[in-house]
Structure formats: structure tokens, C-alpha cells
């Protein structure tokens, strides 16, 4: 029985700027990181491995440079990694992405039964939170989203119990295998790799599956397989922030007074 | 050969064989440690041995007047070593070896010396016993069986010496009686005894002396008094470079990192544990131990010794150790909390009379926790990730590093044009409060016409915290990256604002092939004033100033006078001094990566330090380290004194004087 964890290499969006003319992201010089939500999904799958003895496979769709992210997953202790990389996969939206990931999971299922697919709730570059549910839909898996705690795994009855966190409520859900679980960042605290594992991961040969391996219809993948297209990316106009008083004002009451006066003068609040 | 000689020869042989066997048992375990070259620069090593062992430099230093008692002990011991060697060989070969066979002048002189020295030794024993019984300081375990056994044996030896010679004099057998005032006095106590009894008294005390001496010898290897054998060589093997750096590691497959087992320490670390006399001065000076933390540096060394003795045999046989080095719970195992409590301030190593190196041992154990087990306090996870991904402790976007540049006229470093690289460090370029120091330094450098430049947003963290926290893998990468960047940019001279960066670039980077001329801004500014390049236009007024030494600048790099002189130049008067200052200064609590960890156990180190400063009723605490700035300001806020007392970085003070 294995768990497949889907991870994505993303640009560190806090350092990304938007090209105002072209309307695209300026990626030059911006470091790539593992999508922070996916780091938690990876950690949770490793905890399930530690506790129940699952085999863990991490998969990622992306350019060849995404190998680094998969190598880091190896350093953390996953058993197997697969990079889904082909030019024809490029330009995919969430639909086409989930098609590719679902196909890869199906292939993995042929080798060793996949019982759980773990994903981060969303990525920090796309922010759609659609790929996880998309995979579940394509594969007809149960889908458990916004999971902040895994309560129990019952291997005998092949079920999993999770806690989902929604606005103002928790839901405890019990589901049969196979299931897709999309996790929140609160679910755990990711581990840190040991040095021997890091060194081992540096020599690790990442398996790459291109479309020759995947054999997918080109109309289902990449730009062609995408149902949506990006028209324009732009930053909403935002006025420069101001610092009132700065370090010279030590007294919080004085600082609050300055702020209130400012807001009144701008007609943003009124004392009436 | 008389019966006495025969019996003694047997007793002597048994004792000596037992002693040698015990020594072999113990010292062969030292070889289990990792290699460490401690026999380079022999001349300097001999000098260190003369100064620290024979000169007892640190034993008598500082606030430890009792150290003089040890000084007396030590020298009495050395002198009586001659007397006792003569005693043993005279016992074996009574007709061949005897003091009285020496030329008369020498014989008389030695008789006098041995007599007086034996009394001094006896007095020293009495003082030592009294101290342990009635005046014991809290940092030692006063009433241990071990201590009293040894003191008792020494006292017995001296009493036997006087009784033996006293009875000899009374019998009229002692040729040098006139030169033995104390023994002669003892003889008067025996004068009424008949000759036969006297002869028996003499014989009994001869055997008491013999057994006390050989018993002492046999007991030594099993006691903390093994230091009698080890401390002199330990001073010879003492680290010549200041022990502020740790040994680098080689990162390749199948290597093991850090000291998770006792045999993963260097051999000198193991030898250190044998040299400890448990005097407790390390603990007395430790900021963690003094504020109720789990760490007790004396016990760390003791536990390493116990662990080695417990596991040594198994390790020798290639088996796994039984008693874990890290974990705690029993003697010989060190708690993780203790390992994490160290600020690496080095106060322990500075006061240790036999130059034991506590800090590297703690760092090596941290390495095991971080590198082999990925097990460390929660706060450090984000620190390590931030250092790795954004090269600063807070995870601030690297582009923010050059923000301060907008505030002053700060040039970029240009190859072959700029003389000094100004390396601000993370706090100096990213922390709001500490950016003020950075700006002050920039303005001072501009006023003095220094050719300087920065790396701006490309500057990276020096890696100090990573190294002290045991993340050597991360440090290794950061150090190599920085060195490569600096060398490619053609940097020769570096001004460093943060003492941690100063120490790291100056001392640690050397291990990675760097050879930069590194200067702290306090040093450079003083030079600029003294050479007339920087004109002080007026006296800076900051009220009554008290100076706090930064560990990494002072204790680690010997920069004590420069900041004090600088304060005097800037204000016209010398600063007030803390009780604990210079070499024995008390840490602010931020070193060793503690800056990034919560301080939940005991009381806060920075509060202890500001409270000490407040005794002098200062208006300003002057520091030369951004960590100290933060810790002192936080401490003053906590004790509600931040309205009255300000913290000033030395550059800010100088800046006031050039305006």
C-alpha cells in the first residue's frame, strides 16, 4: 500500500514582482521553493509512513529544475520520487495538471496499490485549491479537503478518519480508501532533513516520466488541454504606506491618538 | 636484605603495578577519541605549561583567593615528590640511596626544605578541609568522600613524615636534626619515651608513611585527583588559537557528524574530562548556570568522563555504548536542555585553571542532535530554513538588506577601487534598532574619508548562529559561499559591525581558506581618531556611561581596551565598569544561537546583566554588539528602567561627538 504526495515547486511569491507591461511574473533571480502547503502534505505522509508503514511516493509536474524539490523530499525520507516533465505538459491550467497527476497516480497504482493521495490545500502561486479535488474527481477517489488533523487510519477496514477545519466549525469525516486528502498548514510541523539523508539525496537519480511514458492524449494536457487561459496579471493599485511618528513615539496611547486624528482628517472615521 | 626491605619491595611492586595498570585502563580510552593535532608549536606549548601549570596562572587569578592555597599545595607536592621518591628508593635500597649520602650542604638544605614544606602542606590541607566543611562556595560539591579521602591521605602522609623524623631525631639517628625545626619540635614530644618504644614508633610511622604514599598512588586514577597526573599535560595540549572555533566536518557519504557518542569527541575532549578537578569555577561563571538553567558546565565534563569510563571497554571491543551520552536521567548522560542552554560565551573556558574546552564539546553534541537526528528546539526550524533560503535569521526578503543604504551615503563595494568592505551583518542591515548603528558607522566612515563600500542586498549571513547551534552543514555552505563572493569581489579588508560576524569571518573562515584583514568598527574608529583622520568636534553627552563587554569581541578576540578608549575619546571620561568585566564579563544571553531561542527556564540572562549594571546607577549602557543592544534594551524594558537608562552602540556615541 502506498501514499502518493503531490508537490509543486513554486517561485517564492513574496519575492515575485509583476512585469507591469507584459502582465507576467518576473521570475529571474527569484528562488524556487517547495509550495509551503505541500511541505505539510509531505510531512503528513511521512508521519503516516512512520506510524503505519506505508510506502511514500512524491510526484511533481514541472520543468527539469523541479528535480531539486523532489531530491529534498528524498532527504526527508520519502521512498520514491517521480518527476512528470515534458514540454507538452507545459502551460497547463488546473484541469490539465490534474489530468497528468491522476494518470501518473493510476500508473503507480498498477505497481503498488495507492490508498491515499496527499496534497497541499493550494499552491502559493496559483492559489486555486483545485488540483487536489481535480485529481480526486478524475480518479473517482473520496475527497477530504481542508484537513487539519488525521484522527485515525484503520488498515483492516481500509478507512481513514480526518478532521476538516472550516469557517466556524470542524467536521470529523470518515472515509474509505482510496481517498485524496488536501491538508492545511496547521496539520503539522515539517521535519528537518538530517545531513546523511541530504547527502544521500544529492546522488539520488530522480525518475522522469515524459509523455512517451505517460502516453496521454495531447488534447488533454498542457495548453491544449486547459479549459482556462490567463488574460492578464496585474497588481491592484495601492497607495504607499505611511509611518506615523516612527521610533520617536514610544507611548502607545500617543501613537493611537496620532492614528485616530489622521483617520478623522481623512474622513475615514468619525466621532459622531 | 632485611625482612622489612623484602616486604616493602613486594608491597611497592604490587602498588606500582596496580597504579600502572589503572593508568593504562584509563588513558588507553583517550585514544578512542577523534584525532586532533595538539603537538604543533612545541615552544609555545611548553611556555603554556610553565605558565598555567607550574605558574598556576589561572588558579590564583581573579576572585579566587583560595587558589593560593592550591598554589602552595602544588609546589609543596612538587618538592615533596623528591622527598617521597627518596623515601621509596631508600626503602628499597637502604644502603645505596639516602639523602644523607649527598654532600653535606645539599643534604642540610633539602632536609630544611622538606621539613618546612611538609608543614606548609599540612596547613594547606587543614585550610582545604575547613573550607569544605565550613566555607564551601555553592559552585562546588564540597563534602564528597573523594575529597576527604585525598585530603586525609595527604594529612596522614605529613603527620607520618614528622613522626618518623621526630622519632628519628629523638633516637639521635637523624644527622640533619639541626636543620629540621618542625621534626625537632615533634621530637621533643617523644623525648620521654624509652629507646625501644621510640624505635617501634619510628617503624610504625615509616610503614604508615609508606602505605599512605602508595595508597595515594593507587587511589589517584580512580579519583578526580587524577588531575595531578593530567593537568600539567593538559596545559601543554591547551588550544593555542582561542577556542572560539570548532573543528569543521567533512561532508561525504557514510560519514557521521557530531558527538552522539563519547568516542565521537576529540581525544583532547576526553583528556579534558580526566583533567577536571571539579573546582566549579566554570559553573560559577556560566550565565546559564547562574540563571537557573539545566546547564552546569562542570557536570558536563564530569558526565563525559563517567560516560567514557562506562562505555570505554565496550567501544574498544567494537560494541555499541550502553550509556547514552545525550539524554540525561543518570550520571554520565547529558540532558538536551543543558546542551541547548549554552550561550557559547566562553566564560567557563576563560576561568578553567587547566584550560578545559567546554564550548566545543557542547557544540559537537548539538551537531549530533541537529545533523544526525534533526532534533532541536522548535524555534530553530524556522531559523535554519530562513538562514538556508534567505540568508538571514528572520526570513526577511534579501532585497530588504540594502534599505538602510538609502538613509546615508553608502557606496557599493567596487573591485580594485574600494579599500574596505563594510559587512553590516543581518542585525545591522535588517533590524530596525540596529540599523541606527549601521548608519552611524557609515557616517563616521564618510566623515573620516575612508574608502569603503557594501555588498548591499547581496550581502549574506555569516553563519555564526548556524555553526554555534551545531548546524555545521549549513554553516559550511554559508561560509564557502561568502568566502567565494568576497574573494571574487576582490575584498582584502573587511570592517565588521557585529562581533559574531567579526569572529566568524576572522577566525572560523580561516578554516575554509579565507585570509581577510578583519577589523571591528570600534577598532577602526579608534585608529581613525588616533591618526587624526576623524576629528571629534565636541564631547558626546550620554550621562554616566557603563560599558558592557561583548563576549565575541572581548573574551574571544581580546578587544577590551579599544572600546573603552573610544568612549573616553568621545565623552572625555572613562566609562564606569561592571563588577564582571573584561575576561570574566557576563554574557547578554544572545550568543550561541540563544538569540533565536526562547528562554523559558530559570530567570533571564539579560535581566541579570542589566540588574548588575543598575548597581552603578548609569544613564547609559554602552555596548558594541547588535545582539547586546537588543538584549540590554529588552532587559531594561523588563525591569522598567528603559525610561531612565538608554542603550547606546559605541558608533552612535562617536557619531554624537563628530556632529
Amino acid at each position: 500500500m502506498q501514499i502518493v504526495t503531490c508537490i509543486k515547486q513554486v517561485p517564492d511569491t513574496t519575492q515575485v514582482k509583476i512585469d507591469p507591461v507584459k502582465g507576467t511574473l518576473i521570475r529571474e533571480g527569484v528562488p524556487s521553493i517547495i509550495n509551503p502547503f505541500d511541505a505539510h502534505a509531505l510531512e503528513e505522509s511521512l508521519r503516516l509512513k512512520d506510524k503505519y508503514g506505508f510506502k511514500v511516493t512524491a510526484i511533481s509536474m514541472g520543468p527539469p529544475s523541479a528535480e531539486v524539490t523532489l531530491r529534498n523530499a528524498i532527504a526527508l525520507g520519502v521512498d520514491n520520487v517521480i518527476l512528470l516533465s515534458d514540454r507538452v505538459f507545459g502551460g497547463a491550467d488546473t484541469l490539465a495538471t490534474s489530468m497528468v497527476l491522476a494518470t501518473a497516480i493510476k500508473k503507480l497504482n498498477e505497481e503498488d496499490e495507492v490508498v491515499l493521495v496527499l496534497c497541499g490545500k493550494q499552491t502559493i502561486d496559483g492559489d486555486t485549491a483545485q488540483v487536489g479535488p481535480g485529481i480526486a474527481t478524475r480518479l473517482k477517489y473520496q475527497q477530504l479537503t481542508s484537513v487539519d488533523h488525521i484522527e485515525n487510519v484503520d488498515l483492516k477496514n481500509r478507512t481513514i478518519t480526518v478532521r476538516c477545519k472550516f469557517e466556524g466549525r470542524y467536521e470529523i469525516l470518515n472515509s474509505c480508501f482510496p481517498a485524496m486528502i488536501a491538508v492545511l498548514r496547521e496539520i503539522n510541523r515539517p521535519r528537518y532533513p538530517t545531513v546523511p539523508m541530504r547527502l544521500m539525496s544529492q546522488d539520488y537519480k530522480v525518475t522522469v516520466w515524459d509523455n512517451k511514458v505517460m502516453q496521454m492524449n495531447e488534447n488533454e494536457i498542457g495548453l491544449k488541454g486547459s479549459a482556462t487561459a490567463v488574460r492578464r496579471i496585474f497588481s491592484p493599485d495601492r497607495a504607499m504606506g505611511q509611518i506615523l511618528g516612527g521610533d520617536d513615539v514610544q507611548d502607545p496611547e500617543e501613537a493611537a491618538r496620532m492614528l485616530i486624528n489622521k483617520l478623522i482628517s481623512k474622513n475615514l472615521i468619525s466621532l459622531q | 636484605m632485611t625482612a622489612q626491605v623484602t616486604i616493602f619491595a613486594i608491597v611497592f611492586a604490587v602498588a606500582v603495578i596496580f597504579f600502572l595498570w589503572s593508568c593504562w585502563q584509563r588513558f588507553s580510552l583517550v585514544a578512542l577519541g577523534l584525532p586532533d593535532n595538539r603537538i604543533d608549536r612545541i615552544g609555545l606549548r611548553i611556555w603554556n605549561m610553565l605558565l598555567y601549570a607550574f605558574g598556576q596562572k589561572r588558579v590564583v587569578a581573579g576572585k579566587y583567593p583560595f587558589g593560593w592555597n592550591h598554589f602552595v599545595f602544588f609546589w609543596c607536592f612538587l618538592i615533596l615528590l623528591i622527598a617521597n621518591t627518596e623515601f621509596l628508593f631508600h626503602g628499597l635500597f637502604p644502603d645505596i640511596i639516602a639523602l644523607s649520602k649527598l654532600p653535606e650542604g645539599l643534604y642540610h638544605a633539602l632536609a630544611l626544605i622538606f621539613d618546612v614544606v611538609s608543614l606548609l602542606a599540612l596547613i594547606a590541607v587543614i585550610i582545604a578541609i575547613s573550607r569544605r566543611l565550613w566555607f564551601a562556595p555553592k559552585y562546588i560539591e564540597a563534602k564528597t568522600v573523594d575529597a576527604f579521602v585525598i585530603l586525609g591521605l595527604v594529612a596522614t602522609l605529613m603527620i607520618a613524615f614528622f613522626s618518623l623524623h621526630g622519632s628519628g631525631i629523638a633516637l639521635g639517628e637523624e644527622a640533619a636534626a639541626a636543620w629540621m625545626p618542625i621534626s625537632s619540635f615533634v621530637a621533643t614530644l617523644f623525648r620521654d619515651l624509652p629507646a625501644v618504644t621510640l624505635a617501634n614508633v619510628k617503624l610504625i610511622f615509616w610503614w604508615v608513611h609508606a602505605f599512605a604514599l602508595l595508597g595515594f598512588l593507587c587511589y589517584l586514577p580512580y579519583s578526580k585527583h587524577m588531575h595531578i597526573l593530567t593537568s600539567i599535560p593538559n596545559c601543554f595540549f591547551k588550544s593555542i588559537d582561542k577556542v572560539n572555533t570548532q573543528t569543521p566536518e567533512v561532508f561525504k557519504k557514510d560519514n557521521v557528524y557530531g558527538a552522539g557518542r563519547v568516542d565521537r569527541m576529540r581525544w583532547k575532549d576526553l583528556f579534558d574530562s580526566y583533567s577536571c578537578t571539579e573546582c566549579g569555577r566554570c559553573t560559577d561563571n556560566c550565565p546559564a548556570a547562574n540563571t537557573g538553567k539545566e546547564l552546569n558546565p562542570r557536570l558536563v565534563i564530569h558526565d563525559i568522563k563517567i560516560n567514557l569510563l562506562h562505555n570505554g571497554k565496550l567501544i574498544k571491543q567494537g560494541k555499541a555504548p550502553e550509556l547514552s551520552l545525550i539524554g540525561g536521567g543518570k550520571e554520565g548522560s547529558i540532558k538536551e536542555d543543558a546542551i541547548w542552554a549554552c550561550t557559547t560565551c566562553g566564560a567557563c573556558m576563560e576561568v578553567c585553571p587547566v584550560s578545559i574546552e567546554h564550548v566545543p564539546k557542547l557544540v559537537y553534541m548539538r551537531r549530533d542532535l541537529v545533523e544526525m537526528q534533526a532534533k532541536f528546539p522548535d524555534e530553530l526550524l524556522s531559523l535554519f530554513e530562513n538562514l538556508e533560503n534567505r540568508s538571514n535569521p528572520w526570513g526577511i526578503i534579501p532585497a530588504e538588506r540594502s534599505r538602510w543604504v538609502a538613509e546615508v551615503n553608502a557606496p557599493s563595494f567596487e573591485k580594485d577601487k574600494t579599500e574596505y568592505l563594510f559587512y553590516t551583518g543581518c542585525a545591522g542591515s535588517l533590524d530596525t534598532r540596529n540599523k541606527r548603528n549601521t548608519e552611524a558607522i557609515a557616517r563616521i566612515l564618510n566623515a573620516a574619508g575612508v574608502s569603503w563600500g557594501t555588498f548591499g542586498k547581496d550581502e549574506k549571513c555569516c553563519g555564526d548562529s548556524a555553526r554555534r547551534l551545531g548546524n555545521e552543514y549549513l554553516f559550511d555552505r554559508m561560509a564557502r559561499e561568502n568566502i567565494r563572493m568576497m574573494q571574487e569581489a576582490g575584498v582584502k579588508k573587511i570592517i565588521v559591525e557585529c562581533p559574531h560576524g567579526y569572529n566568524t569571518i576572522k577566525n572560523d573562515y580561516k578554516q575554509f581558506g579565507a585570509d581577510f584583514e578583519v577589523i571591528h568598527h570600534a577598532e577602526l574608529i579608534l585608529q581613525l581618531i588616533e591618526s587624526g583622520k576623524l576629528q571629534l568636534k565636541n564631547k558626546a553627552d550620554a550621562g554616566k556611561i557603563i560599558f558592557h563587554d561583548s563576549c565575541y569581541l572581548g573574551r574571544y578576540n581580546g578587544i577590551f581596551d579599544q572600546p573603552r578608549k573610544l568612549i573616553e575619546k568621545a565623552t572625555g571620561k572613562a566609562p564606569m565598569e561592571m563588577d564582571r568585566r573584561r575576561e570574566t564579563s557576563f554574557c547578554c544571553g544572545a550568543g550561541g544561537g540563544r538569540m533565536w531561542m526562547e528562554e523559558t527556564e530559570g530567570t533571564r540572562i539579560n535581566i541579570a546583566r542589566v540588574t548588575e549594571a543598575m548597581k552603578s546607577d548609569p544613564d547609559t549602557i554602552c555596548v558594541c554588539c547588535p545582539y547586546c543592544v537588543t538584549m540590554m534594551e529588552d532587559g531594561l524594558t523588563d525591569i522598567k528602567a528603559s525610561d531612565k537608562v538608554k542603550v547606546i552602540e559605541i558608533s552612535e556615541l562617536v557619531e554624537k561627538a563628530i556632529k
Side-chain angles (χ1 to χ4, degrees), chain B residues 442-459:
Chain B
R443 291 192 192 99
I444 292 166
L445 296 175
N446 284 339
V450 174
S451 160
W452 66 282
T454 75
F455 279 164
K457 67 176 173 43
D458 296 326
E459 184 183 281

Side-chain angles (χ1 to χ4, degrees), chain B residues 397-566:
Chain B
I397 299 168
E400 294 282 310
R401 260 193 199 266
S402 54
R403 278 264 180 120
W404 69 273
V405 169
E407 303 294 321
V408 282
N409 178 17
S412 294
F413 184 88
E414 287 179 76
K415 195 172 187 173
D416 300 326
K417 283 188 191 158
T418 314
E419 185 182 1
Y420 285 104
L421 168 70
F422 176 27
Y423 180 87
T424 58
C426 299
S429 56
L430 291 166
D431 178 60
T432 311
R433 165 64 183 89
N434 283 300
K435 275 194 250 183
R436 299 216 302 256
N437 327 330
T438 310
E439 289 161 22
I441 297 167
R443 291 192 192 99
I444 292 166
L445 296 175
N446 284 339
V450 174
S451 160
W452 66 282
T454 75
F455 279 164
K457 67 176 173 43
D458 296 326
E459 184 183 281
K460 298 206 162 10
C461 173
C462 67
D464 165 76
S465 291
R467 182 164 239 204
R468 310 310 156 209
L469 286 166
N471 199 336
E472 184 68 11
Y473 180 79
L474 184 54
F475 173 74
D476 190 278
R477 283 170 40 176
M478 295 169 89
R480 288 179 203 280
E481 169 69 12
N482 272 324
I483 294 167
R484 187 192 56 77
M485 203 163 97
M486 287 168 179
Q487 284 173 342
E488 276 175 12
V491 172
K492 303 259 172 351
K493 298 177 179 179
I494 310 173
I495 306 163
V496 189
E497 175 181 343
C498 173
H500 295 264
Y502 170 82
N503 178 65
T504 303
I505 298 172
K506 186 173 178 174
N507 301 318
D508 295 71
Y509 282 12
K510 261 191 201 152
Q511 299 171 338
F512 298 83
D515 186 24
F516 303 113
E517 192 183 317
V518 187
I519 191 164
H520 185 258
H521 66 268
E523 289 178 281
L524 180 67
I525 296 170
L526 183 68
Q527 284 176 15
L528 293 171
I529 294 171
E530 286 178 341
S531 64
K533 286 185 185 139
L534 183 67
Q535 303 290 331
L536 299 181
K537 298 189 181 115
N538 52 50
K539 297 285 177 225
D541 183 18
K544 284 187 286 173
I545 298 177
I546 191 159
F547 182 67
H548 161 80
D549 284 285
S550 144
C551 308
Y552 273 68
L553 201 60
R555 201 153 34 223
Y556 272 29
N557 287 291
I559 300 176
F560 297 112
D561 295 326
Q562 294 91 322
R564 289 174 167 79
K565 278 191 201 156
L566 204 49

Side-chain angles (χ1 to χ4, degrees), chain B residues 21 81 86 189 193 216 266 293 324 353 356 367 389 417 456 467 469 480 505 509 521 573 612 623:
Chain B
W21 177 80
L81 198 60
E86 188 267 347
L189 304 175
L193 294 176
F216 186 85
R266 301 168 302 179
K293 312 288 189 289
S324 61
I356 287 171
R367 283 181 182 176
N389 299 325
K417 283 188 191 158
R467 182 164 239 204
L469 286 166
R480 288 179 203 280
I505 298 172
Y509 282 12
H521 66 268
K573 46 182 191 292
E612 183 179 349
V623 298

